Amino acid sequence: MNVKEIFETMEYGPAPESAAEALAWLIDQGDRFGHFIDGEFTEAGEGFTSKNPATGEVLATLTQATQADVDAAVAAARKAQPKWERLGGHGRAKHLYAIARLLQKHARLFAVLETLDNGKPIRESRDIDVPLVQRHFYFHAGMAQLMESELPDREALGVCGQIIPWNFPLLMLAWKVAPALAMGNTVVLKPAEYTSLTALLFADICRKAGLPKGVVNIVTGDGAVGEMIVGHPGIDKIAFTGSTEVGRKIRTATAGSGKALTLELGGKSPYIVFDDADMDSAIEGLVDAIWFNQGQVCCAGSRLLVQEGIAGRFHDKLKARMDKLRIGNPLDKCIDMGALADPVQVQTVRDMVENCEDGEIHRVNAQLPAEGCYYPPTLITGLEPSHRLMQEEIFGPVLVSTTFRTPAEAVALANNSRYGLAATVWTENVNLALDIAPKLAAGVVWVNATNLFDAAAGFGGVRESGYGREGGWEGLQAYTRPRGKAKPIKQVLPHSGDRIDAEKVDRTAKLYIGGKQARPDGGYSRDIWSKAGKHMGEAPIAGRKDVRNAVEAARGAAGWAKTSGHLRAQILYYIAENLSARAEEFAHRIDAAPGGHGAKEVETCIQRLFTYAAWADKFDGQVKGVPIRGVALSMREPVGVIGAICPDEAPLLGLISLMAPAIAMGNRVVLAASEAMPLAATDFYQVLETSDVPGGVVNILTGSHEELAKTMAQHMDVDAVWSFSSSDISGPIERESAGNLKRTWVNNGMARDWMSSQGEGRVFLDAATEVKTIWVPYGE
């Protein structure tokens, strides 16, 4: 074909990338791999084959890890961790820098091996995955260097168990290993069964970088190996990326263990196109959103929402663009779409599409390779928002679509999902884009772009897309904890007595729900006695219906999140003012409690209210320095409805220490007062009633912590549960929270000094907020 014919036909390639070097590396290893434990590869054992999904060719044989292998890896990591942490930030930074440099030197080898093992186009592994991997190690080398000066009150967690998926094998490794090592942790990592080869090549790089033995350990195998890691008592933190179903099981399995947990799970991300959008750009962006990596992306823009006036034209242009997608050998640099990761995944996608009897299905009429795990790009239009394919993650090259009329309807449709990982907004109206982005239930929002990632910008979801962030300063929280060791908490039990003052006028304590005093639905109360055995009154016993009513009231007060920080600050100051006016009365009430120091506790309460009033309009986001022509805005948003089990030992201060940061950040709270001494809380709602707190923002219940916590953790409209009870309820809360994967913050039976700096600060504000990253590219 001559140059004139090329220009006339505009035919591509082929432009094959050589696999010789990658195959030679496999041959050098004997095409058989053991595990990487304590700085050495173990002897290969019984296991399974790793195949090229584009051809079915066997690439290598991998070893199925046993419990003994996992034990050995954890033991090596545990032994290495103290020395690795003591190496200091600069010492760790040098090692991470060395790894980053070696990743650059062997970039093409990693890219080719990733494509052979995973099936993604070489252009993607070469130009996106591997450069991002390098970026993460460079970025976190800097984080290690800065840790001692910028995070002086934080320390490493210890040994981290990390489980990664098959869609981005090397990139997910970098997202997890780099921050863990930077903060002084050691790791035991399990790559996906299908795609372990680049993890093993990374292990080889660690040896070349001189990484101390035991800092990084890699064990291969199926899901049973992941279960061994999750359940291992020698691991301090679990980081998992994968399906929501498995994430829910991990949350249940780790409940009550004290293990830190971050989950980056599934998604059904909306791709919203308004009628003023640059249509051609929006279509190119959509190609990247859904057919990048064959649609095997947790944040894929798999749910297309198009404004009704342009829907017909948009779909027509999209179909024309789809038909030009090139599908074939992933090592061909001219290919747009390669192979799915495994035949099982191909069959899953095929079954979901073939079982769809609604809408209009458009498949690309392309000649697929005769062998390999290929599936054609597919568009399904005309589905109802409730349709299974509009709600469930397909995890393949399948796009589903519906239409909307108004921006409000677009937001409603976008948020009509149990997921909340990412979203895309396409419009030429920047005012509209920045109005819509904060309203979307998603951890990441792209404006006029899609699939932008960087180590400086946090990534992660809300709802059933998981919790925790990877990347940025916020990502380091998952790999550190406050310095020092906490002491076990002593259970505070109610007192008993027999001294009753018959001449006193009865003072009826009630629940506080929706801004009003309310009797308990069950109609039961219990006696409250002072430490001297004197009858102080009766407290209502709240039940499931009272929790339901309180949560409904909190949901109804959603407007609180939209108020300004300045307004919330004024109300917190007003609460402090009104509490101060009754300080002597509250001090007297607290003095009767076990270990009560009334005057000091009330004064600390007032100071704490002032602290969070001060923070209400100052705990803000950041503009991240990402390597694009644009900005990545890291925005702080309220979690939503928080159920909080208050400390028993500090009946008023504990309640205020949880309430104040939560409402300062725009949340609404359902508070379970101190079980042993609840009457200070039932007095406190009188202060709230006179302090302009909108009804439903603060709700106060009294009763059994065990019963109230279980109900809150099970409630699908509660977004987070905090517990600082002296009762042993951390495990049940974490276990029951798996239903909708709500956030939890529990004390795991350890005490906190509420009178000191432990009782306030950024850790409470972090727990009261979610970080949303909004990417806004600019320029022509």
Side-chain angles (χ1 to χ4, degrees):
M1 182 179 288
N2 59 37
V3 173
K4 180 173 183 287
E5 290 172 332
I6 291 173
F7 274 103
E8 287 176 349
T9 61
M10 290 303 289
E11 298 236 351
Y12 285 84
E17 174 77 34
S18 171
E21 188 174 347
L23 294 174
W25 181 80
L26 292 172
I27 292 171
D28 288 344
Q29 312 305 312
D31 289 332
R32 295 181 62 84
F33 291 86
H35 313 295
F36 185 70
I37 298 174
D38 203 21
E40 302 291 341
F41 282 102
T42 65
E43 290 292 327
E46 294 185 8
F48 52 95
T49 56
S50 178
K51 298 180 179 180
N52 181 344
T55 63
E57 173 191 3
V58 174
L59 297 171
T61 300
L62 306 179
T63 301
Q64 172 72 20
T66 64
Q67 185 66 59
D69 295 323
V70 173
D71 290 344
V74 173
R78 177 62 63 194
K79 181 180 178 182
Q81 195 275 323
K83 187 176 180 180
W84 175 247
E85 186 172 14
R86 287 196 301 270
L87 195 60
H90 178 59
R92 296 194 298 275
K94 289 192 293 184
H95 283 289
L96 289 169
Y97 173 74
I99 291 172
R101 294 289 286 168
L102 285 166
L103 285 165
Q104 286 183 314
K105 292 176 183 178
H106 299 280
R108 190 57 63 93
L109 173 59
F110 273 103
V112 173
L113 189 61
E114 189 82 324
T115 290
L116 286 172
D117 203 23
N118 171 272
K120 67 177 60 186
I122 185 65
R123 289 188 302 113
E124 293 178 8
S125 54
R126 180 196 65 194
D127 299 341
I128 299 173
D129 292 28
V130 173
L132 270 174
V133 170
Q134 298 160 4
R135 163 71 172 152
H136 270 268
F137 279 95
Y138 274 121
F139 180 84
H140 285 96
M143 287 298 199
Q145 182 74 30
L146 297 175
M147 182 182 180
E148 288 157 18
S149 62
E150 299 303 312
L151 299 171
D153 57 341
R154 308 289 291 184
E155 65 181 5
L157 287 169
V159 176
C160 300
Q162 303 178 326
I163 304 167
I164 58 175
W166 42 261
N167 54 341
F168 291 93
L170 185 63
L171 184 56
M172 292 296 100
L173 177 151
W175 280 21
K176 289 177 169 52
V177 171
L181 267 53
M183 295 297 101
N185 302 279
T186 53
V187 302
V188 176
L189 179 134
K190 189 197 90 68
E193 180 183 2
Y194 300 153
T195 53
S196 300
L197 296 182
T198 47
L200 295 168
L201 175 57
F202 176 78
D204 206 22
I205 290 294
C206 288
R207 289 198 303 183
K208 290 181 179 179
L211 195 70
K213 292 183 177 182
V215 172
V216 169
N217 304 272
I218 297 173
V219 291
T220 56
D222 57 18
V225 182
E227 292 179 16
M228 295 175 197
I229 291 173
V230 168
H232 202 289
I235 287 179
D236 303 295
K237 182 239 167 39
I238 296 295
F240 172 76
T241 296
S243 72
T244 296
E245 178 186 0
V246 175
R248 188 175 284 113
K249 292 178 181 178
I250 291 174
R251 169 71 285 178
T252 301
T254 58
S257 66
K259 288 186 175 75
L261 178 65
T262 49
L263 300 172
E264 198 260 282
L265 307 176
K268 193 69 177 177
S269 300
Y271 190 99
I272 307 169
V273 182
F274 286 94
D275 57 8
D276 67 338
D278 179 333
M279 193 175 294
D280 290 333
S281 296
I283 287 172
E284 287 305 310
L286 183 56
V287 168
D288 184 39
I290 181 58
W291 292 302
F292 170 60
N293 200 29
Q294 297 72 251
Q296 300 168 126
V297 185
C298 52
C299 58
S302 57
R303 196 161 42 110
L304 173 63
L305 311 178
V306 189
Q307 198 151 16
E308 195 171 273
I310 64 166
R313 190 157 58 98
F314 188 91
H315 287 144
D316 288 343
K317 291 176 73 74
L318 175 60
K319 291 173 184 175
R321 179 66 180 89
M322 287 172 62
D323 290 340
K324 292 183 174 61
L325 291 173
R326 302 176 298 276
I327 307 154
N329 177 13
L331 284 174
D332 185 345
K333 291 185 283 289
C334 294
I335 287 300
D336 295 310
M337 255 185 59
L340 275 68
D342 190 82
V344 173
Q345 187 61 22
V346 177
Q347 191 59 48
T348 299
V349 174
R350 182 178 292 118
D351 290 345
M352 293 185 77
V353 174
E354 290 181 355
N355 289 333
C356 177
E357 299 178 353
D358 304 306
E360 177 186 327
I361 299 177
H362 175 79
R363 291 186 182 87
V364 170
N365 187 22
Q367 184 67 40
L368 300 181
E371 296 182 352
C373 303
Y374 293 93
Y375 193 86
T378 302
L379 168 67
I380 307 176
T381 56
L383 297 179
E384 293 294 323
S386 60
H387 194 280
R388 181 193 176 206
L389 296 190
M390 290 289 288
Q391 294 291 325
E392 296 299 324
E393 189 175 34
I394 301 173
F395 221 64
V398 180
L399 176 66
V400 295
S401 180
T402 192
T403 61
F404 66 90
R405 294 182 178 180
T406 65
E409 186 182 2
V411 171
L413 287 170
N415 292 341
N416 180 27
S417 169
R418 62 193 178 99
Y419 298 109
L421 188 52
T424 298
V425 178
W426 214 282
T427 173
E428 291 296 286
N429 183 343
V430 67
N431 291 321
L432 177 61
L434 296 181
D435 176 54
I436 295 297
K439 297 175 181 177
L440 298 174
V444 180
V445 178
W446 295 293
V447 175
N448 293 341
T450 193
N451 283 340
L452 297 177
F453 309 101
D454 187 66
F459 180 88
V462 298
R463 294 180 171 177
E464 294 190 28
S465 289
Y467 41 78
R469 294 293 179 266
E470 295 185 289
W473 288 100
E474 55 268 36
L476 299 182
Q477 294 291 330
Y479 290 100
T480 59
R481 63 184 172 199
R483 285 194 177 276
K485 291 188 177 181
K487 298 179 181 178
I489 198 168
K490 295 180 180 179
Q491 187 173 12
V492 180
L493 299 172
H495 280 263
S496 59
D498 57 6
R499 294 173 52 198
I500 299 177
D501 186 353
E503 297 181 2
K504 186 176 68 174
V505 176
D506 181 67
R507 184 173 179 179
T508 303
K510 296 182 181 179
L511 308 176
Y512 186 64
I513 297 174
K516 298 177 181 179
Q517 299 180 36
R519 297 186 186 278
D521 180 79
Y524 287 96
S525 297
R526 67 181 180 90
D527 292 317
I528 304 298
W529 305 87
S530 75
K531 59 185 176 182
K534 183 179 178 180
H535 191 258
M536 299 180 65
E538 295 181 348
I541 300 175
R544 294 181 64 88
K545 289 186 177 180
D546 299 305
V547 174
R548 178 200 65 188
N549 294 340
V551 173
E552 286 181 0
R555 281 286 168 195
W560 179 250
K562 301 175 184 177
T563 59
S564 68
H566 174 62
L567 175 61
R568 297 195 294 271
Q570 289 183 77
I571 290 176
L572 283 162
Y573 282 129
Y574 198 12
I575 296 171
E577 175 188 335
N578 288 329
L579 177 60
S580 179
R582 296 176 58 181
E584 187 175 341
E585 173 193 342
F586 276 93
H588 178 71
R589 175 73 88 178
I590 293 167
D591 281 335
H597 300 282
K600 184 178 180 182
E601 182 167 337
V602 173
E603 178 56 33
T604 306
C605 287
I606 294 167
Q607 291 179 14
R608 202 141 287 171
L609 287 164
F610 265 67
T611 294
Y612 291 113
W615 274 117
D617 57 358
K618 299 177 185 66
F619 193 66
D620 47 21
Q622 295 177 318
V623 176
K624 298 301 182 79
V626 292
I628 65 164
R629 185 170 171 79
V631 294
L633 306 173
S634 178
M635 309 296 290
R636 293 279 181 175
E637 294 187 337
V639 172
V641 175
I642 297 175
I645 315 301
C646 299
D648 292 300
E649 63 273 25
L652 183 62
L653 179 58
L655 181 143
I656 287 175
S657 296
L658 301 186
M659 177 203 77
I663 68 172
M665 295 297 101
N667 300 283
R668 294 87 71 202
V669 292
V670 178
L671 303 166
S674 167
E675 185 173 350
M677 294 297 295
L679 296 183
T682 60
D683 289 347
F684 181 66
Y685 61 59
Q686 297 169 359
V687 174
L688 298 175
E689 288 176 321
T690 59
S691 302
D692 293 343
V693 180
V697 172
V698 178
N699 305 272
I700 299 175
L701 307 178
T702 57
S704 164
H705 279 184
E706 183 178 359
E707 293 300 323
L708 294 175
K710 181 179 179 181
T711 303
M712 289 181 190
Q714 291 175 336
H715 203 297
M716 301 299 282
D717 277 340
V718 173
D719 300 297
V721 176
W722 300 352
S723 176
F724 295 94
S725 173
S726 66
S727 299
D728 183 16
I729 57 175
S730 297
I733 287 173
E734 291 181 329
R735 192 157 38 250
E736 299 297 339
S737 73
N740 67 344
L741 288 168
K742 59 174 62 68
R743 285 95 184 107
T744 58
W745 185 25
V746 297
N747 62 3
N748 288 305
M750 307 307 286
R752 182 179 290 264
D753 183 0
W754 296 99
M755 299 293 287
S756 74
S757 59
Q758 285 187 0
E760 66 177 9
R762 285 181 174 269
V763 64
F764 290 85
L765 297 169
D766 286 330
T769 54
E770 293 281 9
V771 174
K772 174 182 283 185
T773 303
I774 302 176
W775 291 76
V776 187
Y778 51 70
E780 293 295 328

